[in-house]
Amino acid sequence: MSEPGSGAPGAGMHAIPAQPPPARRAPVLGAIGVTLAVFAAFPVLFTDPTTTSIAFFTLIFMISATAWNIFSGYSGYLALGHAVFFGSGAYAVAMSAKSWHVAGGWPVFALLPFGGLIAGAIAIPVGLVALRTRRHTFVVVTIAIFFIFQLAATNFGFTGGTSGMLFPIAPFSAANYNQPFYYVALALLVATTFVSWSVRRSRFGLQLLAIRDDEDRALGLGVKTRRVKLGAFVLSAVPVGMAGGLYFYFVGQVFPQFAFDPLFDLALALMAFLGGLGTVAGPLLGALVLESLQQYLTQTFSSDAIYLIAYGVLFLAVILILPRGVVPSIATLVRRRHAARSHPAGTMPEPRLRETAA
Amino acid sequence: MSPLIEVAGVSKAYGGVNALSDCDLEVHEGQVNGLIGPNGSGKTTLFNVITGYERIRHGKVSLQGADITNTTPDRVFGLGIGRTFQLTRLFMRLSVLENMLVATQRHEGWLRSIVRRAGSAQEKRRALELLDFVGITRLAHEPAGNLSYGQRKLLELASLLVADPAILLLDEPAGGVNPTLIKHLADRIRELNRSGKTIVVVEHNMEFVMSLCSRITVLSQGRALVSGTPAEVRSDPAVLDAYLGGEDDPSTQRQLASVAPGSAPAATVGTPPAASPRFPRPSPSEPRDDALLRLRNVTAGYGGGDILKDVTLDVPRGSITCVVGPNGAGKSTLMATISGLLRPRLGDIRFGHEVISGRTPKRILASGIAHIPQAHSLFPDMTVRQNVEMGAYTISDRALVRRRLAAVEELYPIVRDRAHVKAGSLSGGQQRLIEFARCLMLDPELILLDEPSMGLDPLTRGFVFEMVQQMNARGKTILLVEQNARAGLKLSSHGVVLENGIVRLTGSGAEVLAHPEIGALYLGGAVATAG
Amino acid sequence: MTLSAFAQAVVDGVLTGGVYALMAAGLTLIFGVMDIINIAQGIMVILGAYLSYELSAHVGIGLLPGLLLTVPAMFVLGVAIEFGFMRRLRDQDRTQMSILVTYAVAIVIEGIVTAVAGVDYVQLQASYVNSSIHMLGFYLPDIYLIGFGLAVALMAGLYFMLYRTKFGHAVRASLQNRTAADLIGIDVSRVRTISVGIGVAVTAVGGMVFGATNAFNPNTGYDLISRLLAIVILGGMGSIGGAMGAAIFLLVINDVVAVWWSPTWAPLVYFAALVVVLSVRPRGLFGRAAVRAQ
């Protein structure tokens, strides 16, 4: 690549479209449509309750990993305490259903936004404290705060202590019990993905990515870094809270040790890493692969121990072999292929705007 | 006309070293203001203070009369002051166009920013116009990390312009950039200035500064030395002295004369060594034929770029060989390449009869080459004694270590007097002595000494130079890198001029010092005629 | 709460704090030399406890003599992990990535321990585990005294190693100025490997004492690491003296709260103290400002 200005300073004068080449927009939309159709048709095609419940769990993790990525993936600050929001959302829904005497079934689903709201409200003070610290301390502080919540849920009276809280019984038939949960989760997933995609292409998202790459310089370009980080933190807590409410409503009961599970946070991080941190599709893909694999592993190996070992080894392998994740690696590969085909020797293609996150 | 930005009496110190002391600066509206000065004179620190990256306790910064001292960087930018960084900073994983869009959202709440797409069509058009202005439009969709060094400089500048700041602070815009691009940059800066922007440029490239700026301030030792037009600054002898070392100034001359061994002020460097008959002042050492260190066609650099280009160089045994050259010439890289911190890409280095290029630092040290890097090479939380003893880390013979320690203590009494003081609490000059002491523990044949005078006041500097001559008198060959070219060459038997990684000139210290091009090398071509 | 109960709680806190200080010292040492936060430190303590358990329950080697085997074993584990994973991390985002990697290592170890020993709670047994002496009006369980004694001895040893031996000087030198350490001939990467080994080896002792004073299962590692992290952050990451102070400070508060209010709420004090301190001083109680030149 020659230096600009080395030949003629006006060399860049030829017009360049403000939009990246609109190539392949239709196929992308088509692929999204097909994927959505497949997801929507899944419980109709596979009615076995074991299969549909695995599918439901997978959706829950796709929501949570996508939401986690809105903060941690875009800003580069690793949060390992999102179980706080998962659990708080679940407790908020369970408690409000109980105190407002909400009947089981669809009315409980209507409480999910309340769970998300509570999770978001909790994220404000948590973020205010945790985001004061530098990146690596931040990780540890989120872990510490997570343990505070776990302890509180176990010990407070109004959370029901170790025996947890019951949700109202969902009046769905045994054969079709999973379907409503599945479709609510799918709707939530679509909404969360839309938020993640909107953030990624918004000014706000650009500010987050700028913080990830060089926080000091972003500040020097007028980005209110503290406010942006806190905003993203809260925004990423809300869907996790809703997912928590939904998940434990499906289970029927919320216990502190499951609601506040350290493996949950690690799972989100691993999924996002596997798929590609800071991309929209990465956490979706990572959660889809990992959660279904995890469910499969738990069913195949009855032993917890082997499951843990397999999980840990997989995690290590992903971080050491594919630190950038699958999606960015494939994107690079495709770009190179494309470049080799359409740009003979030496010239570079123009990659599209959203593929540059790595 | 009152100045647009006024800096008054600003002081800033890091760990006992003053980066700025009572510094004043006036930036006048509509001009291209230059800020020059030797390495370590506080230029970047001053930028950091103005833009809020460094907080100060003494002094005041005002913009159009309003106090903006210690305002945070985001607010300073909001007030219309944009800056670039010496080591270009970009958002490396974002595309060029995305880099351009970060600075566009100055007046917006974050809720609205979530909903709004990054860059409206209008903003993108503006961003592309500006990319076009600097000449990198065709790279708009390339990740910034893929850009070459010069392209990064252009992008960094363009990404500020999006927000249309009234004032631009540019930290070494031409540093490490090829000559064609420098001209391109200068044209762009002139054009920005014509369109009404006030510009402050920190730069080492004198030709660039002299041709561009209407008003220049010279910083030296954290203080504004001179302000004036390029012609005034050029003809001011104090300026050349600031760069080449101020020995022509009679008052400095007197000060330096007073720091002969035995009379150095105890306040600055602890107890000086007594004038000892065993270490007489060296007579100018006779250059001998046999070279202790030979570099042949050495090419080396960091990452992809070569900093040293085909360097061939001999260091005669018993000499003090001084390498001088402007900032960025590759002097420190030369040192790192010899000591093994950096592997040469091409060429070979011989020490005596051994080929040492490609060896680890540990093995090169063992063969008798010690490297004292630029400033801060002590272990600050360890005591003076421990620091000095660490120099003998590779020696397992304890009796030998004790003997060497005793010898070093006799040479530098401060090692004994301050044995249990933490090294980090010593003054700059004292720290240098401890570094010398540490390096002498291994009794090396060759000492690589990188800018021993950096950050020291003239008095201490003179004293440190005495110590360098003393080591040489004890039989150490010394390869010295010195920003203070006059003083460095004066005490050296041999001189080498390095520019852009290429050896320009070699000869005896006096020859190099007397060479007419030396001034030009530092202050740009014009100085030879002006001075 | 009576005054004597209060005093007893303080004494208990100091004694247990010593053991926590030892475990946290390993964690902070590893951070200091490697910039790595070893999340696996908690499960390693539990692993050390299990090793002691297996040796005493199935091989017949007592807890104290068993340390002669478990300490070297944990040292080797530390060296292996440094070799296998830690040194592979790139400098960029090193600390953050290390948290994920060591978390994964912790899961693997937890899995292995679970596979071998199951999930039932166990506790180490020996003649001195349940006995105690009565002195100056305090009940001092022997195992607390032994644990405190061991912790003090090892901390003193660690201190001596760091401040009085050549290797210790090399550790501190590499920690304070890597380039300068390279230039005086220190093999910095070997120093780092051995430091990690030492940081992990202390968990064998910590595990033995912890296992004798608490019932544990593989899951206990999470509870432990969260406490150790709180101690290390409060003490200022990388500062061994700070870890010591913070451990005793937190454990005394913990035990006092347990007596005065309720044992279930006592752990909350850890994290509450951490959050309070960090909201006032983001660098921790004993942490120093990072010296950073432009």
Side-chain angles (χ1 to χ4, degrees):
Chain A
M1 196 180 312
S2 65
E3 287 280 354
S6 56
M13 285 301 178
H14 63 274
I16 275 235
Q19 296 293 331
R24 306 192 298 270
R25 177 149 292 176
V28 168
L29 284 176
I32 291 172
V34 170
T35 313
L36 261 179
V38 169
F39 271 93
F42 189 84
V44 182
L45 300 173
F46 302 90
T47 50
D48 173 36
T50 320
T51 313
T52 47
S53 59
I54 289 181
F56 169 75
F57 291 143
T58 307
L59 287 181
I60 291 290
F61 275 91
M62 289 171 82
I63 296 164
S64 304
T66 298
W68 181 85
N69 183 62
I70 291 175
F71 173 72
S72 290
Y74 295 158
S75 76
Y77 273 77
L78 281 188
L80 288 183
H82 267 47
V84 165
F85 311 125
F86 197 65
S88 309
Y91 274 104
V93 173
M95 277 185 238
S96 56
K98 189 177 156 197
S99 51
W100 299 334
H101 305 290
V102 176
W106 296 99
V108 178
F109 291 139
L111 287 176
L112 291 180
F114 177 72
L117 201 68
I118 294 295
I122 287 173
I124 294 172
V126 169
L128 279 176
V129 171
L131 286 167
R132 281 175 59 87
T133 57
R134 283 178 292 163
R135 270 166 209 254
H136 54 261
T137 318
F138 172 81
V139 188
V140 177
V141 174
T142 57
I143 297 175
I145 290 173
F146 160 77
F147 279 101
I148 294 182
F149 275 79
Q150 192 192 43
L151 274 167
T154 316
N155 296 318
F156 273 129
F158 67 87
T159 59
T162 42
S163 51
M165 293 189 78
L166 285 170
F167 281 83
I169 292 161
F172 306 128
S173 74
N176 292 318
Y177 182 84
N178 294 350
Q179 265 81 336
F181 289 96
Y182 180 90
Y183 285 110
V184 172
L186 186 60
L188 186 53
L189 176 62
V190 171
T192 308
T193 309
F194 178 76
V195 170
S196 173
W197 176 79
S198 313
V199 166
R200 177 64 185 85
R201 65 199 283 280
S202 72
R203 292 157 168 269
F204 178 69
L206 189 58
Q207 292 172 334
L208 280 170
L209 293 170
I211 287 171
R212 175 194 67 184
D213 278 8
D214 189 338
E215 187 165 350
D216 277 346
R217 172 143 200 271
L219 190 67
L221 287 176
V223 176
K224 310 275 179 205
T225 51
R226 200 170 270 188
R227 202 187 299 173
V228 169
K229 286 186 291 184
L230 184 64
F233 192 66
V234 173
L235 196 61
S236 91
V238 173
V240 176
M242 292 172 75
L246 186 58
Y247 179 89
F248 287 101
Y249 182 35
F250 178 81
V251 175
Q253 192 172 7
V254 50
F255 305 98
Q257 60 270 47
F258 293 118
F260 299 98
D261 178 2
L263 276 182
F264 175 81
D265 292 302
L266 214 52
L268 300 189
L270 177 54
M271 287 162 181
F273 262 92
L274 177 66
L277 206 60
T279 60
V280 177
L284 290 172
L285 189 71
L288 181 64
V289 171
L290 270 187
E291 183 58 21
S292 41
L293 184 74
Q294 177 185 344
Q295 293 287 342
Y296 172 78
L297 284 177
T298 2
Q299 312 229 322
T300 315
F301 308 107
S302 49
S303 148
D304 258 6
I306 302 204
Y307 158 66
L308 282 174
I309 296 171
Y311 199 73
V313 169
L314 180 69
F315 200 157
L316 282 173
V318 167
I319 290 181
L320 296 174
I321 299 167
L322 267 181
R324 293 175 59 221
V326 173
V327 169
S329 302
I330 290 177
T332 312
L333 201 70
V334 168
R335 212 180 301 158
R336 286 226 185 97
R337 278 273 168 79
H338 184 69
R341 224 178 31 239
S342 59
H343 297 259
T347 58
M348 290 288 284
E350 286 142 356
R352 288 178 308 150
L353 199 57
R354 34 193 193 97
E355 283 173 353
T356 54
Chain B
M1 187 174 72
S2 70
L4 190 57
I5 296 180
E6 188 172 9
V7 174
V10 166
S11 298
K12 179 83 195 171
Y14 303 98
V17 179
N18 286 328
L20 291 175
S21 46
D22 199 19
C23 185
D24 300 326
L25 177 74
E26 290 183 356
V27 174
H28 291 280
E29 189 164 4
Q31 297 192 5
V32 181
N33 301 264
L35 193 55
I36 63 172
N39 227 3
S41 57
K43 303 180 298 289
T44 295
T45 309
L46 190 55
F47 269 18
N48 285 344
V49 167
I50 295 172
T51 51
Y53 280 96
E54 300 277 3
R55 297 181 69 79
I56 47 168
R57 261 176 289 175
H58 306 287
K60 187 178 167 187
V61 182
S62 36
L63 173 68
Q64 288 175 315
D67 188 356
I68 60 161
T69 317
N70 293 334
T71 305
T72 55
D74 53 325
R75 295 228 171 84
V76 172
F77 186 74
L79 292 168
I81 303 178
R83 77 169 286 193
T84 64
F85 291 84
Q86 189 180 354
L87 300 168
T88 313
R89 290 172 82 163
L90 295 172
F91 306 111
M92 293 299 180
R93 288 184 281 182
L94 300 184
S95 74
V96 168
L97 188 57
E98 284 173 315
N99 266 277
M100 295 293 293
L101 296 172
V102 171
T104 56
Q105 44 266 320
R106 282 209 275 149
H107 316 286
E108 198 170 43
W110 72 267
L111 262 176
R112 258 187 80 198
S113 74
I114 297 176
V115 185
R116 289 193 54 184
R117 189 170 173 163
S120 63
Q122 187 199 347
E123 282 163 351
K124 279 189 182 160
R125 241 191 339 269
R126 172 86 184 125
L128 286 168
E129 274 168 30
L130 288 167
L131 286 177
D132 203 37
F133 172 72
V134 297
I136 53 172
T137 322
R138 70 198 162 79
L139 302 167
H141 302 298
E142 200 67 35
N146 289 2
L147 265 54
S148 73
Y149 193 72
Q151 290 164 341
R152 288 180 188 185
K153 291 254 173 207
L154 293 170
L155 174 57
E156 196 187 21
L157 173 62
S159 67
L160 292 178
L161 299 178
V162 171
D164 207 22
I167 305 163
L168 293 169
L169 309 184
L170 309 178
D171 199 348
E172 298 201 27
V177 172
N178 73 44
T180 331
L181 194 56
I182 289 180
K183 189 179 168 302
H184 177 59
L185 260 164
D187 289 343
R188 299 298 92 175
I189 293 172
R190 266 190 213 104
E191 200 167 325
L192 286 170
N193 179 237
R194 269 200 298 278
S195 73
K197 295 202 186 303
T198 304
I199 291 164
V200 186
V201 182
V202 161
E203 188 48 67
H204 284 289
N205 184 326
M206 288 303 152
E207 232 166 316
F208 185 84
V209 172
M210 298 288 173
S211 67
L212 197 62
C213 299
S214 46
R215 194 186 158 78
I216 293 174
T217 302
V218 184
L219 286 195
S220 178
Q221 318 246 5
R223 194 175 273 131
L225 190 69
V226 181
S227 266
T229 64
E232 285 164 8
V233 166
R234 240 189 259 140
S235 57
D236 192 327
V239 176
L240 196 61
D241 287 347
Y243 275 87
L244 297 184
E247 278 158 299
D248 292 343
D249 178 348
S251 67
T252 325
Q253 192 76 352
R254 262 199 313 281
Q255 285 179 330
L256 285 175
S258 73
V259 289
S263 65
T268 36
V269 282
T271 316
S276 151
R278 282 192 300 144
F279 303 118
R281 290 202 59 171
S283 53
S285 47
E286 281 300 318
R288 278 177 285 175
D289 269 346
D290 54 336
L292 180 60
L293 183 79
R294 292 170 194 273
L295 280 78
R296 287 292 172 269
N297 310 102
V298 171
T299 297
Y302 296 92
D306 290 334
I307 296 176
L308 296 180
K309 294 155 197 151
D310 203 29
V311 168
T312 292
L313 183 68
D314 284 350
V315 177
R317 197 181 294 272
S319 69
I320 299 182
T321 301
C322 183
V323 181
V324 299
N327 225 8
K331 304 186 295 289
S332 293
T333 309
L334 176 70
M335 299 299 224
T337 310
I338 297 170
S339 69
L341 285 178
L342 180 66
R343 248 163 218 264
R345 205 164 62 72
L346 298 169
D348 66 48
I349 305 174
R350 275 166 205 272
F351 182 61
H353 298 291
E354 294 171 276
V355 177
I356 56 162
S357 40
R359 288 190 184 173
T360 61
K362 193 176 172 177
R363 287 190 59 203
I364 290 175
L365 182 73
S367 59
I369 302 181
H371 178 181
I372 304 182
Q374 242 180 55
H376 307 302
S377 79
L378 292 181
F379 306 115
D381 281 347
M382 293 167 78
T383 65
V384 166
R385 162 85 50 82
Q386 287 167 345
N387 263 284
V388 173
E389 281 174 345
M390 285 311 282
Y393 181 74
T394 49
I395 303 178
S396 44
D397 179 352
R398 288 181 163 227
L400 179 63
V401 173
R402 266 198 302 277
R403 277 203 307 279
R404 291 254 171 93
L405 183 64
V408 166
E409 279 177 344
E410 192 171 337
L411 190 59
Y412 305 120
I414 183 178
V415 174
R416 192 188 304 126
D417 299 344
R418 297 291 190 88
H420 302 294
V421 171
K422 282 197 174 167
S425 67
L426 297 182
S427 74
Q430 291 171 327
Q431 292 199 16
R432 289 270 105 167
L433 286 194
I434 305 306
E435 286 168 11
F436 292 177
R438 186 173 73 189
C439 130
L440 289 178
M441 288 296 283
L442 273 189
D443 199 20
E445 259 188 286
L446 172 66
I447 297 173
L448 311 178
L449 197 49
D450 200 345
E451 303 222 7
S453 73
M454 187 147 146
L456 302 183
D457 59 81
L459 242 91
T460 318
R461 188 170 64 205
F463 177 72
V464 165
F465 283 152
E466 293 288 346
M467 295 299 109
V468 173
Q469 283 180 315
Q470 189 188 47
M471 284 197 286
N472 181 242
R474 295 186 79 213
K476 307 290 177 214
T477 305
I478 290 170
L479 180 60
L480 175 73
V481 160
E482 192 42 66
Q483 187 74 31
N484 190 332
R486 262 184 208 155
L489 288 170
K490 212 159 191 182
L491 70 92
S492 303
S493 56
H494 293 72
V496 176
V497 177
L498 202 63
E499 191 196 7
N500 281 328
I502 296 167
V503 175
R504 289 285 180 214
L505 194 66
T506 55
S508 76
E511 278 166 13
V512 172
L513 187 56
H515 198 279
E517 275 179 31
I518 285 291
L521 194 63
Y522 282 86
L523 295 187
V527 80
T529 47
Chain C
M1 184 172 74
T2 65
L3 192 65
S4 72
F6 177 81
Q8 176 77 46
V10 171
V11 170
D12 284 354
V14 171
L15 291 179
T16 45
V19 179
Y20 276 88
L22 179 63
M23 299 186 273
L27 189 59
T28 214
L29 176 69
I30 295 173
F31 177 79
V33 291
M34 293 287 285
D35 276 340
I36 274 176
I37 296 174
N38 180 25
I39 300 288
Q41 192 85 355
I43 189 69
M44 284 168 173
V45 170
I46 300 303
L47 178 63
Y50 270 109
L51 289 179
S52 289
Y53 179 76
E54 295 295 326
L55 285 177
S56 68
H58 298 125
V59 187
I61 299 175
L63 299 182
L64 287 171
L67 290 178
L68 293 176
L69 292 173
T70 58
V71 170
M74 295 307 286
F75 177 83
V76 171
L77 178 69
V79 168
I81 288 172
E82 198 281 331
F83 231 81
F85 308 113
M86 294 184 181
R87 67 169 50 184
R88 283 164 202 272
L89 296 172
R90 295 167 304 168
D91 280 349
Q92 189 203 357
D93 295 340
R94 182 188 183 87
T95 306
Q96 287 197 71
M97 294 301 278
S98 78
I99 291 171
L100 292 175
V101 167
T102 56
Y103 218 139
V105 168
I107 295 177
V108 173
I109 296 177
E110 185 192 353
I112 294 171
V113 172
T114 311
V116 175
V119 293
D120 295 334
Y121 278 89
V122 292
Q123 187 163 5
L124 300 181
Q125 292 301 330
S127 62
Y128 39 81
V129 165
N130 294 317
S131 61
S132 62
I133 57 171
H134 194 210
M135 200 172 69
L136 300 169
F138 296 118
Y139 276 98
L140 304 174
D142 287 353
I143 185 66
Y144 277 41
L145 289 176
I146 292 172
F148 186 74
L150 273 174
V152 168
L154 277 173
M155 297 284 283
L158 205 57
Y159 195 85
F160 179 83
M161 188 276 287
L162 278 176
Y163 288 88
R164 291 286 178 273
T165 68
K166 196 166 168 178
F167 175 76
H169 287 323
V171 171
R172 295 200 299 138
S174 340
L175 199 150
Q176 291 173 24
N177 193 334
R178 191 187 165 151
T179 310
D182 267 333
L183 284 175
I184 56 170
I186 297 175
D187 186 342
V188 175
S189 65
R190 208 187 61 184
V191 165
R192 287 178 164 188
T193 308
I194 295 174
S195 307
V196 173
I198 292 171
V200 171
V202 298
T203 61
V205 179
M208 190 279 277
V209 180
F210 182 82
T213 48
N214 300 271
F216 59 92
N217 77 352
N219 226 336
T220 318
Y222 291 109
D223 182 39
L224 208 51
I225 187 61
S226 57
R227 290 172 183 232
L228 295 181
L229 286 173
I231 290 170
V232 168
I233 293 183
L234 203 65
M237 308 235 282
S239 154
I240 290 181
M244 201 158 25
I248 289 176
F249 173 71
L250 284 178
L251 264 295
V252 167
I253 291 185
N254 177 79
D255 286 8
V256 170
V257 171
V259 173
W260 167 59
W261 185 15
S262 120
T264 45
W265 288 110
L268 203 65
V269 173
Y270 270 86
F271 306 114
L274 180 67
V275 169
V276 168
V277 168
L278 287 178
S279 358
V280 185
R281 263 184 75 102
R283 278 184 248 110
L285 268 188
F286 307 91
R288 274 174 313 176
V291 182
R292 198 167 290 169
Q294 145 87 18

